[in-house]
Amino acid sequence: MTADELFFFNGKESALPLYAAFRSSVLDNLPDTRIEAKKTQISFFNRHLFAAVSFTPVRKAKDRSDPFLTITFGLPYRKESPRIDAAVEPYPHRWTHHVMIGAAEEIDDELLSWIAEAAAFGGSK
């Protein structure tokens, strides 16, 4: 993990184990992924951005776990699932999905399949 990734969690260190589990799972499944940490999110790239981690509050405060992370990914269609907290279509045939997680167990095969599909979509543009 880079210093920039660690700095992203400054003041929110309790969420770092969630990120470490997500990061490890993504890199295990998509080893050619490049990671870039900025002030508001950590981005995952192949040819293009396909996923991001942030502290975007896509649920009301009373419905958020502590700690939490928001996983964001893009697909060419709207994915339907009760696990998806929000989905928007900023451009035609480009859907951005947000999933809030609060435990490492939520980084499961279903979520990782969505990330892999987003990586394939990002790599095909």
Side-chain angles (χ1 to χ4, degrees):
M1 206 172 299
T2 67
D4 286 343
E5 287 172 283
L6 293 171
F7 184 74
F8 179 81
F9 291 92
N10 192 21
K12 298 188 180 197
E13 290 82 2
S14 61
L16 187 57
L18 290 174
Y19 173 70
F22 180 75
R23 181 187 195 276
S24 176
S25 295
V26 170
L27 292 177
D28 285 350
N29 291 303
L30 304 163
D32 294 330
T33 299
R34 188 174 86 258
I35 298 172
E36 188 177 299
K38 298 288 185 180
K39 186 176 181 180
T40 60
Q41 73 180 29
I42 299 175
S43 302
F44 293 76
F45 296 88
N46 48 28
R47 281 186 52 203
H48 298 282
L49 173 73
F50 65 85
V53 169
S54 69
F55 293 110
T56 302
V58 293
R59 288 184 198 157
K60 293 180 181 179
K62 67 181 181 73
D63 297 326
R64 285 183 229 144
S65 22
D66 185 24
F68 78 89
L69 282 179
T70 298
I71 309 297
T72 301
F73 59 93
L75 294 174
Y77 64 95
R78 183 180 185 142
K79 176 72 74 175
E80 297 292 339
S81 171
R83 293 181 65 185
I84 296 174
D85 293 289
V88 294
E89 188 179 25
Y91 307 103
H93 307 292
R94 172 71 181 186
W95 284 87
T96 301
H97 301 78
H98 304 283
V99 177
M100 192 173 280
I101 62 168
E105 295 76 33
E106 294 176 76
I107 304 164
D108 58 7
D109 290 341
E110 181 179 47
L111 178 62
L112 293 173
S113 72
W114 297 341
I115 299 301
E117 188 176 354
F121 176 57
S124 70
K125 291 194 262 174

